[in-house]
């Protein structure tokens, strides 16, 4: 591969997904390094005064300041865009920086948005508490009900926002139907695809306008760094998102970008193995717990939709037990192999109690409306032998009388 082949869309657009994940976006310096170079710099120098003037005016390409551009960060942005099938991408300092930027870059006082009510706790905090301070109204709806989306539309509705699969209830939103409805009414659709990534689901192929990520999760895959990303058309990324990001500064560090570049090289391999492991663990739990919410099991109420829009059902799911918070905490305390952690997408299997961690900032009635009960546990299955994970769950459940 030549120095700039990874940046040449006329070539990389012909590559298949696994190749894009390893090579897309790569640019080599004059040293010809094999691994992507790590540019740890905040600023850039110029040979003459006319060069920065032309760059800041947008008349000449090139680096100006690492809050706006950095060679390592740009490599990651191009790789994620190619994997997603997007014209452009801008990475952010964290997943929540990506979600917040995707909203605030396009909403103004007097605007209205509709959000699927089953969502990550901090996302709902932003829509329920932060946006109203700036005169932006939000209507939460059951994301699975297309009629609910239709009924929520107002003359000033500017955005539809949803996660699918949703955290932690594993609600599945019909991407094609909801995004199609949005487009009919001139509304921009934003999909949080963090539970799936492009290795398991590509929302742009089903009509989404914007895809947002917590890159911290499966893309990094080993619990090392925080990162986020927003993908979409070149017009949206460069004209709508970039001015917001440039001037507010939710910038990803070059080091974190480099770490994620390395993680993406194995994303598809990890996603496939972890999805297989999660399905095996899910089949075990299906026989042992009162209710399981796993998109890969036929017992999931939206199993057919999962088959339609997901490449594979993913490595994360939830289940419910009787006994509420005390019983759920008891199971977590009894674990010997599985880690208690509110992260997901790690190579290690992780479990958490959403009601007291990821969704603890929400009022009890909001959690109840979302379907987050005190007896719900969420598990993110890793790369261990699934039988060891099953045996650990088995002994923990037995201690809880299940």
């Amino acid at each position: 591969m030549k120095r700039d082949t990874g940046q040449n869309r006329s070539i990389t657009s012909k590559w298949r997904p696994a190749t894009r994940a390893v090579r897309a976006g790569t640019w080599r310096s004059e040293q010809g390094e094999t691994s992507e170079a790590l540019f740890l710099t905040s600023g850039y120098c110029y040979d003459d005064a006319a060069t920065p003037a032309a760059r800041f005016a947008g008349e000449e390409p090139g680096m100006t300041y690492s809050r706006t551009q950095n060679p390592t960060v740009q490599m990651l942005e191009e790789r994620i865009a190619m994997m997603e099938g997007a014209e452009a991408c801008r990475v952010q300092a964290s997943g929540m920086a990506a979600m917040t930027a995707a909203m605030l870059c396009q909403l103004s006082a007097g605007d209205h948005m509709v959000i699927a009510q089953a969502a990550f706790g901090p996302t709902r905090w932003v829509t329920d508490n932060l946006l109203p301070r700036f005169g932006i109204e939000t209507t939460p709806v059951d994301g699975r009900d297309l009629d609910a989306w239709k009924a929520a539309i107002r003359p000033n509705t500017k955005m539809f926002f949803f996660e699918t699969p949703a955290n932690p209830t594993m609600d599945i939103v019909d991407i094609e139907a909801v995004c199609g409805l949005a487009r009919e009414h001139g509304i921009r659709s934003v999909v949080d695809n963090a539970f799936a990534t492009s290795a398991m689901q590509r929302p742009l192929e089903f009509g989404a306008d914007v895809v947002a990520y917590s890159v911290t999760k499966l893309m990094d895959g080993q619990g090392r760094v925080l990162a986020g990303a927003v993908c979409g058309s070149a017009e949206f990324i460069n004209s709508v998102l970039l001015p917001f990001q440039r001037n507010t500064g939710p910038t990803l560090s070059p080091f974190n970008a480099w770490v994620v570049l390395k993680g993406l090289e194995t994303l598809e391999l990890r996603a496939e193995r972890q999805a297989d492991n999660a399905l095996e663990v899910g089949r075990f739990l299906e026989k042992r717990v009162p209710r399981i919410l796993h998109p890969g099991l036929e017992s999931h109420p939206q199993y057919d939709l999962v088959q339609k829009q997901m490449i594979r059902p993913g490595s994360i799911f939830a289940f419910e037990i009787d006994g509420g918070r005390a019983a759920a905490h008891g199971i977590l305390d009894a674990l010997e192999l599985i880690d208690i952690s509110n992260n997901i997408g790690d190579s290690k299997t992780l479990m958490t109690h959403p009601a007291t961690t990821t969704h603890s900032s929400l009022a009890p009635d909001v959690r109840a409306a979302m379907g987050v009960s005190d007896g719900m546990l969420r598990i993110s299955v890793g790369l261990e032998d699934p039988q060891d994970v099953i045996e650990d769950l088995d002994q923990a459940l037995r201690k809880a009388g299940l």
Side-chain angles (χ1 to χ4, degrees):
M1 193 172 85
K2 307 303 182 187
R3 277 185 60 189
D4 60 354
T5 299
Q7 298 272 338
N8 188 338
R9 288 265 180 131
S10 68
I11 297 174
T12 60
S13 62
K14 300 174 185 177
W15 292 346
R16 293 165 181 82
T19 304
R20 293 180 182 182
V22 175
R23 292 185 176 270
T26 297
W27 170 86
R28 291 184 174 132
S29 75
E30 65 277 3
Q31 304 302 322
E33 62 278 351
T34 302
S35 179
E36 293 80 7
L38 177 55
F39 289 85
L40 292 175
T41 182
S42 58
Y44 305 90
C45 300
Y46 318 95
D47 290 337
D48 54 67
T51 297
R55 291 182 184 180
F56 274 84
E59 298 167 354
E60 178 183 299
M63 301 292 150
T64 59
Y65 192 62
S66 280
R67 176 159 39 83
T68 304
Q69 316 111 327
N70 175 278
T72 308
V73 173
Q74 283 194 342
M75 284 190 269
L76 175 61
E77 289 171 337
E78 177 64 8
R79 182 169 299 178
I80 292 175
M82 287 301 300
M83 293 171 68
E84 197 63 38
E87 291 181 355
C89 169
R90 296 292 299 194
V91 291
Q92 317 290 321
S94 69
M96 279 312 303
M99 304 308 153
T100 305
M103 296 179 198
L104 288 179
C105 76
Q106 57 182 309
L107 294 173
S108 302
D111 287 344
H112 171 253
M113 68 174 284
V114 185
I115 184 172
Q117 64 184 4
F120 184 43
T123 301
R124 283 295 303 269
W125 184 91
V126 169
T127 60
D128 296 358
N129 297 283
L130 180 63
L131 296 188
R133 299 181 193 173
F134 300 99
I136 302 166
E137 291 186 274
T138 302
T139 300
V141 299
D142 184 338
R144 300 164 295 184
D145 184 353
L146 187 62
D147 289 335
W149 289 97
K150 290 179 183 177
I153 295 173
R154 303 177 187 174
N156 60 334
T157 302
K158 297 296 193 296
M159 183 196 301
F160 280 2
F161 185 103
F162 60 89
E163 303 172 9
T164 185
N167 182 5
T169 60
M170 308 310 294
D171 288 2
I172 308 297
V173 177
D174 189 326
I175 303 172
E176 188 170 34
V178 173
C179 293
L181 175 66
R183 191 154 295 176
E184 287 174 16
H185 291 81
I187 299 167
R188 188 176 278 132
S189 55
V190 180
V191 179
D192 177 348
N193 198 40
F195 265 37
T197 77
S198 61
M200 289 175 271
Q201 181 172 264
R202 300 189 184 101
L204 294 177
E205 295 178 0
F206 291 90
D209 294 312
V210 178
V211 179
Y213 279 109
S214 173
V215 173
T216 308
K217 310 302 191 293
L218 287 157
M219 288 187 176
D220 170 27
Q222 293 168 71
R224 299 169 294 192
V225 297
L226 297 178
V230 181
C231 303
S233 69
E235 186 279 329
F236 172 80
I237 296 296
N238 296 325
S239 300
V240 181
L241 177 65
L242 179 56
F244 175 89
Q245 183 173 2
R246 178 193 296 124
N247 292 292
T248 60
T251 308
L252 182 65
S253 75
F255 178 77
N256 286 11
W258 184 85
V259 172
V260 175
L261 279 165
K262 297 294 98 183
L264 290 177
E265 293 179 2
T266 61
L267 173 61
E268 190 164 340
L269 295 172
R270 289 184 285 104
E272 183 174 359
R273 174 61 67 87
Q274 287 177 249
D276 288 345
N277 288 354
L279 193 57
E280 190 170 340
V281 174
R283 286 174 177 147
F284 160 76
L285 284 171
E286 191 171 31
K287 302 171 185 176
R288 292 289 298 277
V289 298
R291 184 172 181 237
I292 187 167
L293 298 162
H294 190 310
L297 296 174
E298 292 185 10
S299 58
H300 192 285
Q302 295 166 287
Y303 178 79
D304 291 341
L305 180 57
V306 172
Q307 300 304 301
K308 171 190 170 185
Q309 67 186 31
M310 295 192 75
I311 300 166
R312 49 182 68 90
S315 58
I316 305 153
F317 64 93
F319 61 94
E320 289 184 303
I321 60 168
D322 297 327
R325 172 176 173 173
H329 279 199
I331 289 173
L332 291 174
D333 290 344
L335 295 172
E336 297 174 351
L337 170 71
I338 300 167
D339 289 309
I340 303 172
S341 175
N342 46 281
N343 198 14
I344 58 168
D346 199 291
S347 58
K348 302 175 180 67
T349 298
L350 312 174
M351 276 181 65
T352 194
H353 181 242
T356 54
T357 58
T358 58
H359 291 67
S360 61
S361 63
L362 303 178
D365 61 323
V366 175
R367 289 200 300 270
M370 292 172 61
V372 180
S373 71
D374 284 346
M376 176 178 282
L377 290 163
R378 189 194 68 196
I379 182 168
S380 173
V381 180
L383 291 170
E384 305 96 340
D385 188 302
Q387 194 56 44
D388 287 326
V389 175
I390 288 170
E391 288 176 4
D392 193 30
L393 286 168
D394 180 57
Q395 64 85 23
L397 289 167
R398 279 190 283 106
K399 288 177 181 176
L402 294 172

